[in-house]
Amino acid sequence: MSYCLNPKCPNPSEPKNSNQLFCSNCGWELILQQRYRVIQPLGKGGCGEVFEVDDKGTPKVLKRLSQKSSKFIALFQQEARVLTRLRHPGIPKVEKDGYFQYQPEGSRNPIHCLVMEKIEGLNLEQWLEFRENKPIGEEDAIVWLLQLIDILEKLHQSQYFHRDIKPSNIMLKPDGQLVLIDFGTVREITDTYLAKIGTNRELTSVQTFGYTPSEQINGKPLPQSDFFALGRTFVHLLTGKELDEFEEDKESKILWRDSATHISKPLTDLIDWLMEPSARKRPPNAEVIRQCLKKLQSGNGNFSWSIDENINSKSEILEELQSASTVYLKPKWRGWQIAMFSSALATSLVMGVRYLGWLQPWEMSAFDRLMQMRPPEKADTRILVITVDEKDLQYQDEKKWNRKDSLSNEAVGLLWQKLTTHKPRVIGLNIFRPTGFEPKLANAIQNNDRFIATCAGADANNPGTPSPPGMPLERLGFADMPDDGLFIRRQLLTMSTDPTCNTTESFNMRVAESYLGKKLDLEKIKAKQLTYNAGGYQLPAEKAQGYQILINYRKADFQQVKLREILDNYKDSQLSTMVRDRIVLIGAVNEGDMYLTPYSKGTWPKRMPGVVIQAHMISQLISADLDNRSLLWWWPEGGEILWIWIWSLVGGIFSWQLRSPIYLVIAVSVAITMISGLCFLFLLFAGWIPLVPSVLALASGGGSFAAYAASKNKQNN
């Protein structure tokens, strides 16, 4: 079928138009932009019409604007720009040439069109009606909230907010992915917008009853306005009721909890936090909401919401520094004097801020970026990783094996038989087995000096996990991995004994020593101990305990094989080559044991299973001993201060010698490039030297020189 878009066509749905190039009634071209064939109309609204189109075999949606107002045209074009820039599975995809215009015969005004990805499925309003307004459950609500928070984070990070979130603007695809639609009301966070907010000038208001917060009704929407509408959306989904059915209290908060008694208090608290009448009391950003949802998803509901009373708004503080070219310095040594003084002052300020820990997030981010830039390495073929994922659990359950954790006794026994036949040098089980093994297997494991088991020490948030009963101490290592929030960058080698996990050495160190057949000489392999203030770190005392080093991740993948592939004999012909004389690590791959690393990047960074991180830790230890591959190192504190002071002095000299602002900007840009390049060059040789403090010192040194010189000149005059 072909549908004619000529507004004057007497029969746009003429059946004879199928597979034709021109309409048989009006002669209008049926292929738009030489690629889009309109199939049929899908709907019509106040601003335009929606059609299904065929793009060379791919079904898509075409929106045609019927309004001629410049305001509606601007909004339509903005929607096209936004959707062209954004790339996310929860946002309709628009190609760069998706927006176009065509001129109907006899019309002065062009018609504006936008072609986008066709989203199959129902919107949540339709979906709820289809199931007779039956409320959704808590598990589905958390999954959907996480999806929508990811979408809003992408939107907000791109300096936009939606302004019209509601059930009818959220599509549910057959695969369970939610898609946010109708970006015609999106607002960009520009300096002009912020200026209007700051001067109390009202902006165009977009309103949907019940879903629009007061600040948006008053023409002053914020990104937090999207959170309010999101909360109201989930009240509708969690109760199956329309918003006008609920009463409000004195603070204009809707009283909805009695209609959602199947939902836990932490989740209802979060929904209410999203719907706080004051934007200042809502979550400051999407990441805060995500962390709350992750705690709920993990079953940890014992927490309170942290409400930030101050919205972090984008503001520009413009300061005019007096140019050093206006300062009359005589004699020449006077300029050096000021440069030395100002650089010392700037260095002190930067180091002070660094000691307070304020620069640590930036320094960690810069470290990660530099790590990502390193060239690929050869894979470490001495390690094989056997993963146990969700399908492996299902495989064991289908076999009716008695499984209490990731591995049933039957699976462990069969795997042990297959592996030991081919004589691996070490078998490391990175799965907790506090209940041990069946007696015959337990006896074989205890008598095999190449098997390493694991346990976990207790802390304030974790009761710990004991080792398998009867496991010799010298073949037991703790699995604890110190984290930087969500990231794993540090490796713990030794720590004091713990009643739950009675061993002083880590799992990775035990495996490495078993492979090497000797105790590791940490001094010989130059395993520099990471103290609380090493490199860019400013760690609390409790996070700097034990002997820690930095992980020099290998930019290469380890050979991996799935448990079921071995148990089902798929890999029998290759097993000898894969296992003989190698380290075999066995570990679970599940949501609770996935971490970010320096190689995680992007809006949806890839996470690494804990067992693979253990492989990196083991690899760097044996590579340092056998291959002279360097472990990461850093300068002592005095060396870092000197390095930072040098760049502060360079900034002061630039400010003193360069009279032209253009030359000054060019010089500073070149200097920043040099700092980044040198830091990267050092990292290629495993050296971590300060990048962010050096750049700040460069700018601070120049600013301090200009300010101090101007002040002295004023006194002399």
Side-chain angles (χ1 to χ4, degrees):
M1 178 178 178
S2 290
Y3 189 89
C4 179
L5 281 189
N6 183 0
K8 297 181 179 181
C9 182
N11 185 14
S13 57
E14 170 64 62
K16 295 180 181 179
N17 286 341
S18 295
N19 301 320
Q20 300 301 311
L21 296 179
F22 299 94
C23 178
S24 59
N25 290 304
C26 66
W28 186 263
E29 189 174 1
L30 296 175
I31 307 296
L32 301 176
Q33 301 296 100
Q34 298 182 346
R35 62 185 291 188
Y36 304 119
R37 179 182 291 275
V38 182
I39 304 300
Q40 61 182 340
L42 296 176
K44 188 174 183 179
C47 299
E49 301 164 279
V50 180
F51 302 88
E52 180 181 353
V53 299
D54 178 85
D55 180 11
K56 299 178 181 178
T58 302
K60 292 186 177 180
V61 169
L62 180 144
K63 293 176 67 174
R64 182 173 71 176
L65 183 67
S66 58
Q67 293 283 347
K68 299 178 182 178
S69 162
S70 58
K71 174 183 172 182
F72 282 101
I73 292 173
L75 289 173
F76 192 78
Q77 291 173 334
Q78 177 176 266
E79 179 178 14
R81 287 194 303 272
V82 172
L83 293 178
T84 301
R85 294 175 187 173
L86 298 177
R87 286 292 180 265
H88 187 283
I91 297 174
K93 183 179 179 181
V94 172
E95 297 179 10
K96 291 183 179 180
D97 57 353
Y99 168 77
F100 61 91
Q101 304 173 22
Y102 71 89
Q103 192 88 27
E105 187 176 351
S107 174
R108 295 182 179 179
N109 300 311
I111 292 181
H112 301 262
C113 296
L114 177 61
V115 176
M116 64 180 69
E117 172 190 8
K118 184 181 181 183
I119 308 299
E120 301 288 352
L122 302 174
N123 67 50
L124 293 187
E125 188 67 44
Q126 296 168 332
W127 181 82
L128 203 60
E129 290 175 1
F130 178 77
R131 49 186 270 146
E132 298 179 345
N133 292 317
K134 180 183 176 182
I136 65 172
E138 178 159 335
E139 185 176 346
D140 288 336
I142 293 174
V143 171
W144 283 4
L145 273 167
L146 283 168
Q147 287 192 33
L148 291 168
I149 282 302
D150 277 343
I151 297 169
L152 287 180
E153 182 176 57
K154 175 67 174 179
L155 194 62
H156 293 175
Q157 287 180 347
S158 302
Q159 302 300 303
Y160 298 105
F161 51 97
H162 192 274
R163 296 199 296 175
D164 198 19
I165 293 174
K166 54 189 177 184
S168 60
N169 279 344
I170 302 170
M171 298 287 293
L172 175 61
K173 296 172 68 175
D175 62 1
Q177 172 69 49
L178 295 180
V179 179
L180 185 60
I181 61 172
D182 196 354
F183 282 70
T185 59
V186 163
R187 181 78 202 193
E188 185 174 6
I189 309 172
T190 61
D191 292 336
T192 303
Y193 166 77
L194 293 169
K196 289 181 179 180
I197 291 291
T199 56
N200 293 320
R201 290 167 59 190
E202 292 190 0
L203 296 99
T204 304
S205 177
V206 178
Q207 300 182 29
T208 299
F209 175 77
Y211 295 92
T212 306
S214 58
E215 73 272 6
Q216 187 168 322
I217 293 173
N218 295 328
K220 297 181 177 62
L222 296 162
Q224 285 78 8
S225 304
D226 285 345
F227 299 155
F228 179 93
L230 183 64
R232 289 293 179 96
T233 295
F234 274 83
V235 167
H236 180 49
L237 295 173
L238 290 166
T239 64
K241 294 183 177 182
E242 298 295 336
L243 297 180
D244 59 4
E245 296 182 46
F246 298 105
E247 295 182 358
E248 294 184 350
D249 64 12
K250 295 179 180 179
E251 296 180 351
S252 299
K253 297 180 180 179
I254 58 173
L255 305 174
W256 65 283
R257 293 192 181 214
D258 290 343
S259 299
T261 54
H262 61 298
I263 303 303
S264 66
K265 185 177 183 299
L267 181 56
T268 55
D269 286 345
L270 175 57
I271 300 295
D272 277 338
W273 188 21
L274 296 175
M275 299 188 298
E276 279 286 341
S278 170
R280 294 181 179 276
K281 292 185 178 180
R282 293 177 210 142
N285 54 54
E287 178 60 25
V288 171
I289 303 171
R290 180 185 293 108
Q291 292 304 315
C292 294
L293 290 168
K294 287 294 185 183
K295 289 183 179 180
L296 276 170
Q297 202 172 42
S298 65
N300 178 15
N302 298 318
F303 56 91
S304 59
W305 310 115
S306 172
I307 298 177
D308 188 352
E309 295 291 341
N310 299 303
I311 294 176
N312 296 322
S313 60
K314 177 185 175 187
S315 62
E316 296 293 330
I317 302 173
L318 302 177
E319 295 181 356
E320 292 186 1
L321 296 175
Q322 184 175 356
S323 173
S325 63
T326 64
V327 181
Y328 178 62
L329 299 172
K330 57 177 187 182
K332 194 171 184 178
W333 60 265
R334 178 66 172 158
W336 279 108
Q337 225 177 16
I338 297 177
M340 296 291 285
F341 176 82
S342 61
S343 63
L345 177 63
T347 302
S348 300
L349 289 173
V350 170
M351 293 304 298
V353 171
R354 196 187 198 208
Y355 288 146
L356 291 173
W358 295 352
L359 299 185
Q360 182 171 313
W362 292 0
E363 293 199 67
M364 294 299 104
S365 179
F367 171 78
D368 294 345
R369 292 291 181 88
L370 292 177
M371 288 287 284
Q372 293 163 17
M373 292 167 57
R374 298 197 308 177
E377 298 181 65
K378 290 183 179 179
D380 192 337
T381 58
R382 294 168 293 208
I383 298 176
L384 171 69
V385 179
I386 299 177
T387 60
V388 184
D389 60 16
E390 185 64 32
K391 291 185 178 179
D392 291 313
L393 304 185
Q394 295 172 7
Y395 171 86
Q396 296 176 71
D397 294 341
E398 290 169 1
K399 295 281 188 180
K400 307 297 183 182
W401 290 347
N402 184 21
R403 182 177 63 82
K404 295 181 180 179
D405 47 38
S406 299
L407 284 175
S408 63
N409 280 327
E410 294 88 344
V412 176
L414 184 56
L415 184 61
W416 175 264
Q417 180 183 354
K418 284 179 170 290
L419 292 179
T420 53
T421 300
H422 299 290
K423 298 181 180 180
R425 186 147 355 157
V426 188
I427 298 176
L429 181 62
N430 191 43
I431 295 176
F432 298 127
R433 297 285 295 191
T435 57
F437 309 93
E438 57 88 16
K440 185 177 180 181
L441 179 60
N443 184 60
I445 287 175
Q446 290 168 11
N447 292 319
N448 188 313
D449 60 1
R450 291 299 184 178
F451 180 85
I452 308 296
T454 190
C455 56
D459 56 34
N461 302 316
N462 192 333
T465 306
S467 62
M471 183 58 57
L473 184 62
E474 65 274 10
R475 290 194 281 112
L476 177 66
F478 56 79
D480 305 60
M481 295 190 295
D483 63 274
D484 301 331
L486 302 173
F487 285 81
I488 301 294
R489 302 185 183 94
R490 294 175 283 136
Q491 176 175 352
L492 186 58
L493 298 179
T494 63
M495 67 176 184
S496 56
T497 58
D498 180 274
T500 307
C501 182
N502 187 27
T503 179
T504 59
E505 287 194 11
S506 66
F507 173 78
N508 55 79
M509 191 168 179
R510 291 283 193 199
V511 172
E513 289 179 337
S514 181
Y515 180 84
L516 295 169
K518 64 179 181 180
K519 297 291 287 185
L520 272 170
D521 186 339
L522 299 182
E523 184 176 350
K524 178 186 174 184
I525 65 173
K526 298 179 182 178
K528 189 169 184 179
Q529 184 173 7
L530 191 143
T531 56
Y532 77 95
N533 63 344
Y537 278 108
Q538 296 296 326
L539 296 171
E542 64 273 13
K543 285 198 169 187
Q545 295 178 354
Y547 198 109
Q548 299 184 29
I549 61 175
L550 281 174
I551 306 175
N552 189 6
Y553 281 93
R554 182 181 291 272
K555 198 170 184 181
D557 295 327
F558 295 96
Q559 185 178 9
Q560 297 185 31
V561 61
K562 301 182 186 303
L563 174 69
R564 59 188 180 277
E565 294 177 334
I566 294 181
L567 300 187
D568 252 356
N569 305 322
Y570 293 151
K571 297 290 184 178
D572 277 3
S573 61
Q574 309 168 36
L575 201 56
S576 178
T577 305
M578 294 166 61
V579 169
R580 188 173 299 277
D581 207 35
R582 298 174 75 183
I583 296 171
V584 178
L585 295 181
I586 308 164
V589 177
N590 55 53
E591 185 64 28
D593 196 33
M594 301 288 286
Y595 306 91
L596 298 176
T597 72
Y599 290 112
S600 303
K601 58 183 178 179
T603 307
W604 304 276
K606 184 179 180 181
R607 295 181 296 167
M608 188 178 290
V611 65
V612 178
I613 294 178
Q614 292 285 0
H616 279 280
M617 295 176 177
I618 295 164
S619 175
Q620 80 158 351
L621 292 177
I622 61 177
S623 296
D625 187 85
L626 298 178
D627 308 329
N628 292 320
R629 181 177 183 265
S630 296
L631 299 175
L632 290 173
W633 54 267
W634 51 92
W635 283 330
E637 186 177 24
E640 292 188 331
I641 293 174
L642 178 62
W643 169 262
I644 293 169
W645 172 76
I646 288 172
W647 290 107
S648 178
L649 180 61
V650 169
I653 294 172
F654 283 170
S655 187
W656 168 31
Q657 294 290 334
L658 299 176
R659 297 174 179 267
S660 167
I662 296 177
Y663 289 161
L664 183 59
V665 169
I666 293 173
V668 169
S669 300
V670 171
I672 292 174
T673 303
M674 286 183 61
I675 294 171
S676 303
L678 288 170
C679 289
F680 177 65
L681 184 62
F682 272 93
L683 193 60
L684 291 178
F685 294 93
W688 181 25
I689 62 174
L691 192 160
V692 173
S694 305
V695 173
L696 289 178
L698 177 75
S700 302
S704 298
F705 179 94
Y708 182 77
S711 173
K712 284 296 181 182
N713 240 19
K714 187 175 181 181
Q715 292 177 11
N716 293 336
N717 292 336

